[in-house]
Amino acid sequence: MARLSPENEVLARQIIGRYPRSRSALIPLLHVAQEQDGWVTDDAMAHIGELLGLTPAEVLGTCSFYEMFKREPVGTYLVNVCTNISCQLLGGEELLEHVEERLGVKAGATTPDGLFTVEDVECIAACTEAPCLQVNYRYFHRITHAGFDALVDELRAGRLAEEIPPHGTTTRIRQTVPAPRWAGVGAEGLPPEIG
Amino acid sequence: MAVTDAPKIITTRFDLDDGRTLAGYERTGGYESLRAALASSPADVLAEVKAANLQGRGGAGFPAGTKWGFLPADVHPRYLVVNGDESEPGTYKDRLLMERDPHQLIEGVLLASYAVEAKQAFIYVRGEMAVAQERLATALNEAYAAGLVGRDIAGSGWSMDVVLHWGAGAYIVGEETALIESLEGRRGMPRLKPPFFPAVKGLYLQPTIVNNVETLANIPWIVRNGGAAFAGLGTEESAGMRLFALSGHVRNPGVYEVEMGRTTFRDLIEAPVLGGGIRDGGTLKAFIPGGASAPWFYEEHLDLPLSKATVDKAGSMLGSGAVVVMDHTTDAVKACARIVRFFAHESCGKCTPCREGTTWLHQILQRILAGDGRWSDLELLLDVSDNISPGIAWPPRQTTICPLGPSAVSPIASALRRFRPEFEAYIEGGRHAGARPVGVDVLAGVAAG
Ligand SMILES: Cc1cc2nc3c(=O)[nH]c(=O)nc-3n(C[C@H](O)[C@H](O)[C@H](O)COP(=O)(O)O)c2cc1C
Ligand code: SF4
Ligand code: FES
């Protein structure tokens, strides 16, 4: 249960500074918290509330709306199998069954070793590449059952650590703006927030 | 069969190794439109986009130039919000545009911001698209360092910022007012229109333009070649080129850039250089012409052109450019149930007919599939649908705040009208087969479509 680290607090303040109103940074900061701990802890939410002047309830209210934010630990690798229409037509449901069988857990559950969490997800915008899945939001297109087995072996052996960061990190590259380049005119003339 | 020889507009760099770097982008004409625009006035850029007759590529097909013209005069600051939330089932093109040619999008954002005098733009990328986020972050960092974004852009004295933002998983956030709520740090629930038309009261209640990624990716070409050149592609009604994601039971699923209005669904599905026909020599059962929200089309619609007006008139929509093909092996009830599950799952819960109705529809379909369906369930499906979208007509009427609720009705109305015997077979083979009503046509009250 961790608040944001000093480094992440610096990052959080940079992010907040990019928005005309600070509350807009809430989702980005929840991502920072999830990147730090692999899930969003109560302490991190409280800390984010302090940084943004929001109550814990306001932070939780936003956090709980969005499916990517996990409020309890999940596996190092989140395996999201698409079963929506384009994938269903080409074996997405059978792929999910195979994934469940191979990992020994049903969608929604985590393997006992804490390595994998399986999810049955909606369309992930790879419909022409069906059936497909994501591991920590990295795509695997037109994947066969044997292909998935090989992928699991690679992940277990740690051979994909370069390409696939642990759960919590989406982008590994952040926007950075050198201070002299920032225009900073977005809030000019913006009336104070009501309420 | 006519696949036109119109030029590619927005996919030209997809296969270049360095197409997504600043150097590769500039080598292939990148940022020339921006420099040219900065030497002319915002009104000139707006005029070209109006002349282009560029219809929005996010789903509703509203002309971008007209939308930009809706901003109330002299109300500032104004914002541009880029809708990169792509999550309509079947849709896959904005992710490609962000991953493979991020500078093209950034240049489009700069040109649009210049035209509408936006002080700041936000690129809202879907949370699940990690690589798109990385490519856009890299491209924005390059563009800022090169003086193309931020303070005193390209030495012109004009300054504005572009911020990369990403979501956290919620289809409804693709709806423009929900996108704005989310960007304000709230639950992504749609606002009522009116009064919250983004162009008038959008982000922070200021005038805001929300445009789709593909819409904006077209702007650099339009500024470089002129609005008239763009309007000269396609037809008078549906101009330009457009990306279509062709998925399902075709030989060559893929994302294809084709000329609007002059290309037909048959071309897209059957042309050897495009879909290549139904896989394994099968036959077409149905296809969805514009994403999961769209009513289904069949054999008799194959020769319709990819034009907004024509498809609207035929009772569906081009929507988000997602064509999903189902062959004769498809179980219509299962396909319908999967799409309805999606809408039930993604309902934001703000309005009762959608929150409760989509859940009911999903549960009824599940029990039919499980052999627990009753004959009265067919009528119940339509009754619940009618409560969400009165009359079950097209274009849909709605008892809800946004069109998500009515979208769940499309697959049900389509599948029940066309493939009713398949629903009946599930009931017939299930636990409540006995009580089949005689002579009652549950569809009698619903107009054919
Ligand atoms: C439920 C729902 C989901 C939507 N999802 C998206 C989306 O993912 N991406 C998108 O660009 N537009 C989406 N839209 C359309 C937007 O509300 C809006 O019309 C569009 O972003 C405007 O851009 P355009 O005029 O450039 O098309 C959605 C609309 C609804 C009702
Ligand atoms: S129709 Fe559904 S998704 Fe749209 S606002 Fe109402 S409850 Fe939310
Ligand atoms: S339906 Fe599976 S990626 Fe779109």
Side-chain angles (χ1 to χ4, degrees), chain B residues 262-335:
Chain B
R262 298 184 194 280
T263 315
T264 63
F265 285 107
R266 188 185 297 285
D267 297 332
L268 186 63
I269 293 170
E270 296 181 1
V273 292
L274 302 174
I278 304 295
R279 62 160 191 191
D280 303 334
T283 53
L284 177 74
K285 176 166 183 163
F287 64 99
I288 310 177
S293 305
W296 300 359
F297 271 177
Y298 313 98
E299 178 82 41
E300 64 268 28
H301 298 103
L302 276 174
D303 291 310
L304 292 177
L306 301 169
S307 119
K308 174 176 156 54
T310 317
V311 174
D312 285 355
K313 211 168 133 221
S316 190
M317 61 173 178
L318 277 185
S320 52
V323 179
V324 184
V325 177
M326 305 180 225
D327 73 5
H328 64 286
T329 66
T330 310
D331 181 327
V333 187
K334 277 194 183 153

Side-chain angles (χ1 to χ4, degrees), chain B residues 358-424:
Chain B
T358 55
T359 307
W360 275 50
L361 292 173
H362 170 55
Q363 286 173 354
I364 297 165
L365 286 163
Q366 288 309 314
R367 78 178 176 223
I368 290 174
L369 282 172
D372 260 333
R374 294 166 207 274
W375 291 105
S376 56
D377 279 346
L378 300 183
E379 203 168 353
L380 192 55
L381 281 173
L382 292 167
D383 188 33
V384 176
S385 296
D386 186 64
N387 276 295
I388 303 173
S389 184
I392 315 183
W394 192 263
R397 294 166 60 207
Q398 61 192 55
T399 55
T400 52
I401 292 170
C402 90
L404 185 147
S407 295
V409 171
S410 295
I412 291 176
S414 298
L416 256 182
R417 278 180 186 133
R418 185 81 171 203
F419 306 112
R420 180 179 168 181
E422 293 185 37
F423 288 81
E424 293 176 346

Side-chain angles (χ1 to χ4, degrees), chain A residues 19 24 61-62 66 181 184 186, chain B residues 79 149 161 165 183 186-187 204:
Chain A
Y19 295 92
S24 286
T62 293
Y66 298 93
R181 293 286 327 124
Chain B
Y79 301 104
V149 191
D161 288 303
H165 185 99
L183 189 50
R186 298 172 209 281
R187 296 167 78 82
Y204 314 127

Side-chain angles (χ1 to χ4, degrees), chain B residues 92-111:
Chain B
Y92 173 30
K93 40 112 183 161
D94 296 337
R95 176 164 78 87
L96 274 173
L97 288 165
M98 294 188 281
E99 289 180 356
R100 304 238 182 129
D101 201 346
H103 281 288
Q104 176 174 255
L105 175 61
I106 293 167
E107 187 174 12
V109 170
L110 291 166
L111 290 165

Side-chain angles (χ1 to χ4, degrees), chain A:
Chain A
M1 300 296 275
R3 290 165 62 84
L4 296 185
S5 66
E7 282 153 45
N8 278 335
E9 192 174 323
V10 172
L11 175 62
R13 289 189 197 282
Q14 274 171 14
I15 294 172
I16 295 168
R18 299 217 177 106
Y19 295 92
R21 288 203 178 133
S22 60
R23 186 174 176 151
S24 286
L26 179 49
I27 290 172
L29 297 200
L30 288 165
H31 276 299
V32 171
Q34 181 148 287
E35 181 166 339
Q36 173 181 293
D37 298 321
W39 57 293
V40 183
T41 68
D42 286 350
D43 285 352
M45 280 195 280
H47 193 180
I48 290 169
E50 288 163 28
L51 292 170
L52 297 177
L54 299 172
T55 65
E58 286 171 318
V59 177
L60 177 61
T62 293
C63 180
S64 64
F65 186 82
Y66 298 93
E67 268 174 70
M68 287 174 73
F69 293 135
K70 309 298 179 194
R71 282 172 298 128
E72 49 190 55
V74 293
T76 311
Y77 296 115
L78 191 62
V79 180
N80 289 359
V81 184
C82 176
T83 58
N84 212 314
I85 185 69
S86 304
C87 290
Q88 181 195 47
L89 293 173
L90 291 173
E93 288 172 343
E94 292 75 12
L95 175 64
L96 175 65
E97 273 171 34
H98 176 77
V99 168
E100 290 176 332
E101 216 166 275
R102 178 72 215 278
L103 295 178
V105 290
K106 288 281 177 197
T110 302
T111 55
D113 62 4
L115 209 51
F116 298 101
T117 299
V118 179
E119 291 190 346
D120 170 359
V121 300
E122 303 297 355
C123 175
I124 49 179
C127 321
T128 64
E129 310 306 314
C132 57
L133 56 80
Q134 291 182 317
V135 179
N136 291 350
Y137 307 110
R138 267 71 188 169
Y139 285 88
F140 293 87
H141 288 159
R142 304 194 191 198
I143 190 159
T144 60
H145 294 195
F148 179 74
D149 294 347
L151 173 61
V152 169
D153 293 341
E154 293 285 292
L155 289 166
R156 283 227 165 94
R159 281 193 290 268
L160 289 175
E162 281 285 296
E163 287 106 288
I164 306 180
H167 178 259
T169 302
T170 58
T171 182
R172 289 161 301 180
I173 299 157
R174 289 192 172 271
Q175 182 176 10
T176 48
V177 184
R181 293 286 327 124
W182 180 252
V185 292
E188 265 173 26
L190 184 65
E193 196 167 9
I194 332 160

Side-chain angles (χ1 to χ4, degrees), chain B residues 34-35 37-39 114 147 150-159:
Chain B
L34 176 68
R35 291 178 209 276
L38 291 174
Y114 185 68
R151 187 186 298 261
D152 188 19
I153 294 173
S156 66
W158 177 59
S159 300

Side-chain angles (χ1 to χ4, degrees), chain B residues 81-345:
Chain B
V81 176
V82 184
N83 193 341
D85 195 55
E86 185 167 67
S87 21
E88 171 84 8
T91 313
Y92 173 30
K93 40 112 183 161
D94 296 337
R95 176 164 78 87
L96 274 173
L97 288 165
M98 294 188 281
E99 289 180 356
R100 304 238 182 129
D101 201 346
H103 281 288
Q104 176 174 255
L105 175 61
I106 293 167
E107 187 174 12
V109 170
L110 291 166
L111 290 165
S113 300
Y114 185 68
V116 304
E117 300 177 45
K119 291 259 166 61
Q120 196 167 357
F122 300 88
I123 306 182
Y124 191 120
V125 184
R126 183 170 168 187
E128 292 93 334
M129 296 180 178
V131 173
Q133 293 155 17
E134 290 179 351
R135 301 261 168 94
L136 276 166
T138 305
L140 271 173
N141 290 348
E142 285 181 308
Y144 260 103
L148 294 162
V149 191
R151 187 186 298 261
D152 188 19
I153 294 173
S156 66
W158 177 59
S159 300
M160 62 93 54
D161 288 303
V162 180
V163 170
L164 177 62
H165 185 99
W166 60 96
Y171 163 71
I172 188 58
V173 161
E175 193 282 331
E176 56 188 9
T177 61
L179 191 79
I180 288 170
E181 282 281 301
S182 182
L183 189 50
E184 291 185 1
R186 298 172 209 281
R187 296 167 78 82
M189 292 174 153
R191 296 172 175 173
L192 210 53
K193 295 190 275 191
F196 297 108
F197 286 110
V200 184
K201 282 192 183 316
L203 184 64
Y204 314 127
L205 301 184
Q206 295 296 119
T208 302
I209 293 297
V210 182
N211 270 135
N212 170 260
V213 164
E214 185 185 350
T215 309
L216 292 169
N218 277 290
I219 306 293
W221 193 93
I222 289 172
V223 170
R224 187 169 339 124
N225 299 278
F230 187 89
L233 296 166
T235 57
E236 198 177 329
E237 184 278 323
S238 280
M241 308 293 288
R242 183 166 180 185
L243 296 187
F244 285 87
L246 179 67
S247 67
H249 297 148
V250 288
R251 249 183 227 123
N252 316 316
V255 181
Y256 299 106
E257 183 174 19
V258 300
E259 190 174 12
M260 291 192 76
R262 298 184 194 280
T263 315
T264 63
F265 285 107
R266 188 185 297 285
D267 297 332
L268 186 63
I269 293 170
E270 296 181 1
V273 292
L274 302 174
I278 304 295
R279 62 160 191 191
D280 303 334
T283 53
L284 177 74
K285 176 166 183 163
F287 64 99
I288 310 177
S293 305
W296 300 359
F297 271 177
Y298 313 98
E299 178 82 41
E300 64 268 28
H301 298 103
L302 276 174
D303 291 310
L304 292 177
L306 301 169
S307 119
K308 174 176 156 54
T310 317
V311 174
D312 285 355
K313 211 168 133 221
S316 190
M317 61 173 178
L318 277 185
S320 52
V323 179
V324 184
V325 177
M326 305 180 225
D327 73 5
H328 64 286
T329 66
T330 310
D331 181 327
V333 187
K334 277 194 183 153
C336 165
R338 184 61 188 84
I339 297 173
V340 172
R341 179 190 125 180
F342 168 76
F343 290 113
H345 181 218

